[in-house]
mmCIF file of all heavy atoms in Angstrom:
data_model
loop_
_atom_site.group_PDB
_atom_site.id
_atom_site.type_symbol
_atom_site.label_atom_id
_atom_site.label_comp_id
_atom_site.label_asym_id
_atom_site.label_seq_id
_atom_site.Cartn_x
_atom_site.Cartn_y
_atom_site.Cartn_z
ATOM 1 N N HIS G 279 13.072 -132.354 160.036
ATOM 2 C CA HIS G 279 13.484 -131.271 160.812
ATOM 3 C C HIS G 279 15.087 -131.153 160.758
ATOM 4 O O HIS G 279 15.713 -132.160 160.810
ATOM 5 C CB HIS G 279 13.052 -131.466 162.273
ATOM 6 C CG HIS G 279 13.056 -130.241 163.091
ATOM 7 N ND1 HIS G 279 14.094 -129.531 163.572
ATOM 8 C CD2 HIS G 279 11.877 -129.298 163.461
ATOM 9 C CE1 HIS G 279 13.808 -128.501 164.204
ATOM 10 N NE2 HIS G 279 12.451 -128.287 164.130
ATOM 11 N N SER G 280 15.491 -129.972 160.571
ATOM 12 C CA SER G 280 16.972 -129.737 160.460
ATOM 13 C C SER G 280 17.790 -129.897 161.663
ATOM 14 O O SER G 280 18.969 -130.274 161.640
ATOM 15 C CB SER G 280 17.169 -128.266 159.829
ATOM 16 O OG SER G 280 16.723 -127.398 160.678
ATOM 17 N N ASP G 281 17.170 -129.726 162.838
ATOM 18 C CA ASP G 281 17.904 -129.808 164.128
ATOM 19 C C ASP G 281 17.891 -131.277 164.583
ATOM 20 O O ASP G 281 16.819 -131.690 164.981
ATOM 21 C CB ASP G 281 17.264 -128.900 165.076
ATOM 22 C CG ASP G 281 18.181 -128.689 166.273
ATOM 23 O OD1 ASP G 281 19.335 -129.356 166.365
ATOM 24 O OD2 ASP G 281 17.665 -127.963 167.222
ATOM 25 N N GLN G 282 18.955 -131.969 164.719
ATOM 26 C CA GLN G 282 18.991 -133.332 165.143
ATOM 27 C C GLN G 282 18.824 -133.337 166.665
ATOM 28 O O GLN G 282 18.487 -134.442 167.284
ATOM 29 C CB GLN G 282 20.281 -133.872 164.851
ATOM 30 C CG GLN G 282 20.525 -134.206 163.333
ATOM 31 C CD GLN G 282 21.789 -134.984 163.079
ATOM 32 O OE1 GLN G 282 22.470 -135.417 164.034
ATOM 33 N NE2 GLN G 282 22.105 -135.213 161.820
ATOM 34 N N GLU G 283 19.051 -132.234 167.393
ATOM 35 C CA GLU G 283 18.888 -132.337 168.851
ATOM 36 C C GLU G 283 17.491 -132.660 169.297
ATOM 37 O O GLU G 283 17.285 -133.213 170.426
ATOM 38 C CB GLU G 283 19.437 -131.081 169.465
ATOM 39 C CG GLU G 283 20.947 -130.808 169.278
ATOM 40 C CD GLU G 283 21.390 -129.445 170.015
ATOM 41 O OE1 GLU G 283 20.543 -128.762 170.486
ATOM 42 O OE2 GLU G 283 22.475 -129.168 169.759
ATOM 43 N N GLU G 284 16.459 -132.325 168.428
ATOM 44 C CA GLU G 284 15.093 -132.599 168.839
ATOM 45 C C GLU G 284 14.664 -133.977 168.673
ATOM 46 O O GLU G 284 13.645 -134.397 169.061
ATOM 47 C CB GLU G 284 14.159 -131.625 168.107
ATOM 48 C CG GLU G 284 14.365 -130.156 168.439
ATOM 49 C CD GLU G 284 13.370 -129.236 167.862
ATOM 50 O OE1 GLU G 284 12.274 -129.872 167.440
ATOM 51 O OE2 GLU G 284 13.511 -128.032 167.908
ATOM 52 N N VAL G 285 15.520 -134.736 168.056
ATOM 53 C CA VAL G 285 15.205 -136.173 167.786
ATOM 54 C C VAL G 285 15.691 -136.945 168.958
ATOM 55 O O VAL G 285 16.884 -137.096 169.372
ATOM 56 C CB VAL G 285 16.039 -136.694 166.518
ATOM 57 C CG1 VAL G 285 15.590 -138.166 166.267
ATOM 58 C CG2 VAL G 285 15.609 -135.843 165.308
ATOM 59 N N SER G 286 14.748 -137.618 169.627
ATOM 60 C CA SER G 286 15.026 -138.341 170.986
ATOM 61 C C SER G 286 15.631 -139.688 170.614
ATOM 62 O O SER G 286 15.490 -140.178 169.445
ATOM 63 C CB SER G 286 13.810 -138.430 171.606
ATOM 64 O OG SER G 286 12.896 -139.285 171.096
ATOM 65 N N SER G 287 16.152 -140.312 171.590
ATOM 66 C CA SER G 287 16.686 -141.721 171.398
ATOM 67 C C SER G 287 15.608 -142.789 171.204
ATOM 68 O O SER G 287 15.984 -143.901 170.922
ATOM 69 C CB SER G 287 17.593 -142.050 172.669
ATOM 70 O OG SER G 287 16.762 -142.052 173.758
ATOM 71 N N ALA G 288 14.360 -142.309 171.380
ATOM 72 C CA ALA G 288 13.252 -143.377 171.264
ATOM 73 C C ALA G 288 12.971 -143.565 169.788
ATOM 74 O O ALA G 288 12.121 -144.407 169.465
ATOM 75 C CB ALA G 288 12.030 -142.645 171.918
ATOM 76 N N ASP G 289 13.703 -142.952 168.849
ATOM 77 C CA ASP G 289 13.457 -143.152 167.479
ATOM 78 C C ASP G 289 13.869 -144.566 167.114
ATOM 79 O O ASP G 289 13.595 -145.041 166.027
ATOM 80 C CB ASP G 289 14.362 -142.212 166.589
ATOM 81 C CG ASP G 289 13.616 -140.749 166.645
ATOM 82 O OD1 ASP G 289 12.438 -140.679 166.837
ATOM 83 O OD2 ASP G 289 14.335 -139.852 166.437
ATOM 84 N N SER G 290 14.618 -145.235 167.886
ATOM 85 C CA SER G 290 14.886 -146.700 167.556
ATOM 86 C C SER G 290 14.319 -147.487 168.774
ATOM 87 O O SER G 290 14.518 -147.159 169.848
ATOM 88 C CB SER G 290 16.430 -146.746 167.561
ATOM 89 O OG SER G 290 16.807 -148.279 167.536
ATOM 90 N N PRO G 291 13.720 -148.621 168.403
ATOM 91 C CA PRO G 291 13.117 -149.489 169.471
ATOM 92 C C PRO G 291 14.133 -150.048 170.360
ATOM 93 O O PRO G 291 13.854 -150.407 171.519
ATOM 94 C CB PRO G 291 12.306 -150.516 168.634
ATOM 95 C CG PRO G 291 12.965 -150.555 167.355
ATOM 96 C CD PRO G 291 13.427 -149.082 167.064
ATOM 97 N N SER G 292 15.396 -150.120 169.851
ATOM 98 C CA SER G 292 16.373 -150.623 170.759
ATOM 99 C C SER G 292 17.037 -149.617 171.727
ATOM 100 O O SER G 292 17.896 -149.883 172.536
ATOM 101 C CB SER G 292 17.528 -151.271 169.969
ATOM 102 O OG SER G 292 18.107 -150.317 169.105
ATOM 103 N N GLY G 293 16.571 -148.373 171.499
ATOM 104 C CA GLY G 293 16.923 -147.269 172.478
ATOM 105 C C GLY G 293 18.312 -146.699 171.993
ATOM 106 O O GLY G 293 18.863 -145.915 172.614
ATOM 107 N N LYS G 294 18.756 -147.026 170.792
ATOM 108 C CA LYS G 294 20.015 -146.439 170.272
ATOM 109 C C LYS G 294 19.845 -144.943 169.738
ATOM 110 O O LYS G 294 18.764 -144.541 169.501
ATOM 111 C CB LYS G 294 20.529 -147.197 169.001
ATOM 112 C CG LYS G 294 20.969 -148.689 169.381
ATOM 113 C CD LYS G 294 21.393 -149.431 168.257
ATOM 114 C CE LYS G 294 21.816 -150.803 168.661
ATOM 115 N NZ LYS G 294 22.444 -151.491 167.536
ATOM 116 N N SER G 295 20.949 -144.194 169.782
ATOM 117 C CA SER G 295 20.750 -142.778 169.402
ATOM 118 C C SER G 295 20.915 -142.660 167.861
ATOM 119 O O SER G 295 20.851 -143.707 167.089
ATOM 120 C CB SER G 295 21.934 -142.008 170.030
ATOM 121 O OG SER G 295 23.148 -142.562 169.539
ATOM 122 N N VAL G 296 21.006 -141.480 167.392
ATOM 123 C CA VAL G 296 21.054 -141.224 165.983
ATOM 124 C C VAL G 296 22.383 -141.666 165.327
ATOM 125 O O VAL G 296 22.486 -141.805 164.160
ATOM 126 C CB VAL G 296 20.704 -139.666 165.671
ATOM 127 C CG1 VAL G 296 20.674 -139.439 164.200
ATOM 128 C CG2 VAL G 296 19.442 -139.328 166.410
ATOM 129 N N GLU G 297 23.481 -141.842 166.061
ATOM 130 C CA GLU G 297 24.659 -142.016 165.567
ATOM 131 C C GLU G 297 24.894 -143.193 164.680
ATOM 132 O O GLU G 297 25.535 -143.271 163.624
ATOM 133 C CB GLU G 297 25.763 -142.154 166.726
ATOM 134 C CG GLU G 297 25.989 -140.835 167.467
ATOM 135 C CD GLU G 297 26.949 -140.961 168.588
ATOM 136 O OE1 GLU G 297 27.402 -142.006 168.715
ATOM 137 O OE2 GLU G 297 27.218 -139.982 169.288
ATOM 138 N N PRO G 298 24.186 -144.403 165.009
ATOM 139 C CA PRO G 298 24.395 -145.553 164.200
ATOM 140 C C PRO G 298 23.785 -145.383 162.757
ATOM 141 O O PRO G 298 24.122 -146.197 161.893
ATOM 142 C CB PRO G 298 23.499 -146.707 164.906
ATOM 143 C CG PRO G 298 23.575 -146.218 166.334
ATOM 144 C CD PRO G 298 23.584 -144.728 166.286
ATOM 145 N N PHE G 299 22.993 -144.484 162.546
ATOM 146 C CA PHE G 299 22.397 -144.297 161.196
ATOM 147 C C PHE G 299 23.433 -144.063 160.215
ATOM 148 O O PHE G 299 23.426 -144.609 159.063
ATOM 149 C CB PHE G 299 21.443 -143.057 161.183
ATOM 150 C CG PHE G 299 20.186 -143.238 161.934
ATOM 151 C CD1 PHE G 299 19.700 -142.174 162.696
ATOM 152 C CD2 PHE G 299 19.465 -144.346 161.858
ATOM 153 C CE1 PHE G 299 18.458 -142.426 163.434
ATOM 154 C CE2 PHE G 299 18.286 -144.702 162.598
ATOM 155 C CZ PHE G 299 17.764 -143.725 163.271
ATOM 156 N N THR G 300 24.535 -143.268 160.462
ATOM 157 C CA THR G 300 25.535 -143.022 159.514
ATOM 158 C C THR G 300 26.364 -144.287 159.276
ATOM 159 O O THR G 300 26.886 -144.485 158.182
ATOM 160 C CB THR G 300 26.510 -141.906 160.058
ATOM 161 O OG1 THR G 300 26.946 -142.230 161.343
ATOM 162 C CG2 THR G 300 25.752 -140.565 160.101
ATOM 163 N N GLU G 301 26.463 -145.040 160.337
ATOM 164 C CA GLU G 301 27.225 -146.321 160.083
ATOM 165 C C GLU G 301 26.467 -147.218 159.187
ATOM 166 O O GLU G 301 27.171 -147.956 158.381
ATOM 167 C CB GLU G 301 27.353 -147.029 161.535
ATOM 168 C CG GLU G 301 28.007 -148.320 161.499
ATOM 169 C CD GLU G 301 28.146 -148.989 162.878
ATOM 170 O OE1 GLU G 301 27.595 -148.409 163.863
ATOM 171 O OE2 GLU G 301 28.415 -150.209 162.873
ATOM 172 N N PHE G 302 25.120 -147.293 159.281
ATOM 173 C CA PHE G 302 24.427 -148.156 158.360
ATOM 174 C C PHE G 302 24.402 -147.750 156.968
ATOM 175 O O PHE G 302 24.441 -148.490 156.018
ATOM 176 C CB PHE G 302 23.001 -148.334 158.826
ATOM 177 C CG PHE G 302 22.866 -149.165 160.206
ATOM 178 C CD1 PHE G 302 21.722 -149.063 160.938
ATOM 179 C CD2 PHE G 302 23.953 -150.025 160.538
ATOM 180 C CE1 PHE G 302 21.720 -149.924 162.118
ATOM 181 C CE2 PHE G 302 23.856 -150.743 161.770
ATOM 182 C CZ PHE G 302 22.725 -150.672 162.505
ATOM 183 N N THR G 303 24.445 -146.438 156.736
ATOM 184 C CA THR G 303 24.320 -145.848 155.425
ATOM 185 C C THR G 303 25.587 -146.232 154.613
ATOM 186 O O THR G 303 25.648 -146.255 153.324
ATOM 187 C CB THR G 303 24.137 -144.337 155.382
ATOM 188 O OG1 THR G 303 25.036 -143.726 156.264
ATOM 189 C CG2 THR G 303 22.738 -144.091 155.987
ATOM 190 N N ASN G 304 26.710 -146.345 155.220
ATOM 191 C CA ASN G 304 27.973 -146.671 154.606
ATOM 192 C C ASN G 304 28.029 -148.070 154.052
ATOM 193 O O ASN G 304 28.887 -148.346 153.204
ATOM 194 C CB ASN G 304 29.148 -146.424 155.552
ATOM 195 C CG ASN G 304 29.331 -144.898 155.943
ATOM 196 O OD1 ASN G 304 28.975 -144.082 155.178
ATOM 197 N ND2 ASN G 304 29.882 -144.736 157.206
#
């Protein structure tokens, strides 16, 4: 899905938001 706002913080079992994804990809 192109809209990130519909992705809830439950996508990570630790409850983290989508922001750490970019950190890991680097």
Side-chain angles (χ1 to χ4, degrees):
H279 201 281
S280 58
D281 190 1
Q282 291 188 2
E283 294 180 358
E284 295 187 10
V285 182
S286 62
S287 60
D289 285 333
S290 173
S292 60
K294 294 181 180 180
S295 62
V296 185
E297 294 178 358
F299 289 141
T300 55
E301 179 184 350
F302 290 162
T303 53
N304 295 331

